[in-house]
Amino acid sequence: MDLIFEKSRPGRRAGRVPEYGLPVPEVPEELRRATPPRLPEVAESEIVRHVTALADRTFGVDTGFYPLGSCTMKHNPRVNERVGRLAGFRDLHPLQEDDGAQGALELEWRLQQILAEVAGLPAVTMQPAAGSQGELTGLMLVRAYFDERGEGDRRDTVVTADTAHGTNPASVTMAGYRLEKVETDARGNLDLADLRAKVDERTAALMLTNPSTLGLFDEGIEEVARIFHDAGALLYYDGANLNAVVGRSRPGDMGFDIVHFNLHKTFSQPHGGGGPGAGPVAVRADIEPFLPSPQVVREGDRFRLDHERPKSIGRVRGFSGPFGVFVRSYAFIRAYGPALREMSDAAVLNANYVLAKLRDVYELPYDRLCMHEFVLSARNLKREHGITALDVAKRLMDYGIHPPTIYFPLVVPEALMIEPTETEPKERLDDFVEAMRRIAEEAAESPELLREAPHRRPVRRLDEVRAAKHLVVRYLFDEHPALVEAE
Ligand SMILES: Cc1ncc(COP(=O)(O)O)c(C=O)c1O
């Protein structure tokens, strides 16, 4: 497909507006451009076709089934967008005085209250813009908490699981902590013996997602909490997998002291490809004074941003957080109302349904009921036919299905991490099951078909390392991409 710059012809325009003879503001000489911007010159019809062709080549949750494990690619109800576009929310300036933004502040405050209830912890900051930023914020809170107790220098270690998402160790390192990894036992829980050996007076916190990235609820979580609290350390809950437990079990009740939410996953948001997201953080009462500033507070029937927070770790993002995300998540939650737990119930049911239908053709490394997602292994296909998890993923694209997450978590070889979400009807789950079963047959009958897949997508197998390391996102004019390619 040609790039828009390759379609450009000098002098072509999408449209022209009449000149009105209004005064043209004078731009000071030193600020004027020396040359016109290098924009593509294209007719409107060509722009529309170009953008439509690009959209056709893209796969999203609105295109088809998208069981990308750990990412919770659920349907985004359109009512969320409608509410987000209400002029009072959409056109509000972030510097608007509190008195002129009462509705927005009330929404933010109400969302805080709901999240506190879901987490089972009393105080919430809405500032972080992603789960990963929630993690970093949480660890900054851990540091502030121990600094005040005079233990900041001694407690320099944060423990994570060997199944942890990559952002966990990254956040630990960014926050200046030493990383200690704990192994997973044969049932897919944290290995308590390994854990006990690694928790001591240097431990500041545990960072854990429960259910884990294996889609398994940790059966020893109360004991885990006891071990950390007995050592004077804190427990941080990575809430990326919260879709499994909302209304059923609360991280605060499991013993966690700090929790982040991925609003863009659990409470729906068009995400993937970088945003928009939100990673609010809930904390127990004695950590509340350290929360980022400002906080939305209620005084009688008025709401305001509280900037007077002397112990606060400061700001982690501009203003009070990614507000458009709050509106959509609030709309999503209110649409469920008190039935919110049905969201998680359906997510867990869907995952177990698919698991039950696939467990005889792919290996199941941890043979237990799963939560909202599960991890299979294509190890048997590799052993018997030389077919890898990557081949399975690529072939799924030919069936019009987005591949699951693969090769993660790292503890499962040839991992296929599948998260159907609650918004898929039974027919779509059945389509997926059928495609996965058919692929297992193809692995035996015609392995070449899989090795060369996808066959029916606009692009075939990409050199993904090269694509990631030499990402060309701008037109290079004189150095045309084709030249870079030829290097
Ligand atoms: C288990 C887990 N933790 C943390 C994160 C980080 O969340 P975010 O992508 O919002 O930064 C993810 C994201 O996929 C995740 O799956």
Side-chain angles (χ1 to χ4, degrees), residues 69-72 129-135 163-168 171 207-209 211-213 238-241 260-265 271 277-279 373 408 417 419:
S70 211
C71 294
T72 316
S132 43
Q133 203 191 7
E135 293 169 20
T163 52
H165 189 257
T167 51
N168 290 185
S171 302
M207 180 174 275
L208 188 72
T209 179
S212 68
T213 61
D238 167 350
N241 292 335
H260 88 242
F261 300 82
N262 294 62
L263 290 190
H264 44 294
K265 299 181 179 186
H271 68 285
E373 66 187 359
F408 177 74
M417 183 201 225
E419 181 179 7

Side-chain angles (χ1 to χ4, degrees), residues 22-172:
L22 294 170
V24 179
E26 266 300 302
V27 179
E29 183 67 37
E30 69 279 12
L31 296 180
R32 283 189 208 159
R33 305 186 63 111
T35 51
R38 293 192 288 189
L39 298 174
E41 299 177 78
V42 198
E44 183 171 324
S45 55
E46 284 297 296
I47 294 179
V48 172
R49 285 182 187 140
H50 184 78
V51 173
T52 306
L54 285 177
D56 282 350
R57 292 160 77 95
T58 311
F59 192 97
V61 73
D62 295 342
T63 321
F65 189 48
Y66 205 134
L68 193 66
S70 211
C71 294
T72 316
M73 304 303 284
K74 62 173 75 175
H75 171 69
N76 301 294
R78 294 308 190 260
V79 66
N80 300 357
E81 297 305 319
R82 183 102 187 253
V83 176
R85 275 202 299 270
L86 289 174
F89 292 137
R90 184 195 58 204
D91 299 340
L92 194 61
H93 194 281
L95 291 176
Q96 177 74 42
E97 283 158 13
D98 292 353
D99 278 348
Q102 283 297 297
L105 290 174
E106 179 170 353
L107 182 143
E108 203 168 324
W109 184 83
R110 286 188 182 280
L111 185 56
Q112 268 176 212
Q113 304 307 109
I114 294 168
L115 296 179
E117 177 60 29
V118 169
L121 292 166
V124 176
T125 171
M126 301 299 292
Q127 273 194 23
S132 43
Q133 203 191 7
E135 293 169 20
L136 184 62
T137 305
L139 292 172
M140 289 161 73
L141 294 170
V142 168
R143 186 175 291 288
Y145 171 84
F146 284 120
D147 278 350
E148 187 173 74
R149 297 166 67 91
E151 298 173 44
D153 291 339
R154 172 161 67 83
R155 297 199 182 259
D156 64 353
T157 304
V158 173
V159 177
T160 62
D162 59 0
T163 52
H165 189 257
T167 51
N168 290 185
S171 302
V172 170

Side-chain angles (χ1 to χ4, degrees), residues 208-236:
L208 188 72
T209 179
N210 191 26
S212 68
T213 61
L214 292 165
L216 300 175
F217 194 91
D218 198 301
E219 297 162 313
I221 193 61
E222 284 168 332
E223 180 59 14
V224 170
R226 231 185 328 272
I227 293 170
F228 278 84
H229 285 157
D230 285 352
L234 296 172
L235 280 91
Y236 180 95

Side-chain angles (χ1 to χ4, degrees), residues 57-69 73 354 358 362 374 389-406 416-420 424-439 442 453-459:
R57 292 160 77 95
T58 311
F59 192 97
V61 73
D62 295 342
T63 321
F65 189 48
Y66 205 134
L68 193 66
M73 304 303 284
V354 178
L358 290 178
Y362 294 87
F374 58 94
L390 181 72
D391 298 330
V392 174
K394 296 289 183 194
R395 183 62 178 152
L396 267 173
M397 296 160 98
D398 285 334
Y399 287 89
I401 292 172
H402 193 284
T405 300
I406 52 174
L416 297 156
M417 183 201 225
I418 298 161
E419 181 179 7
E424 294 299 332
K426 180 171 174 295
E427 303 83 76
R428 294 293 83 72
L429 303 180
D430 288 336
D431 291 346
F432 175 67
V433 166
E434 202 181 310
M436 288 289 283
R437 297 188 72 88
R438 183 77 201 106
I439 289 170
E442 288 172 349
H455 301 270
R456 295 197 282 269
R457 300 299 305 167
V459 288

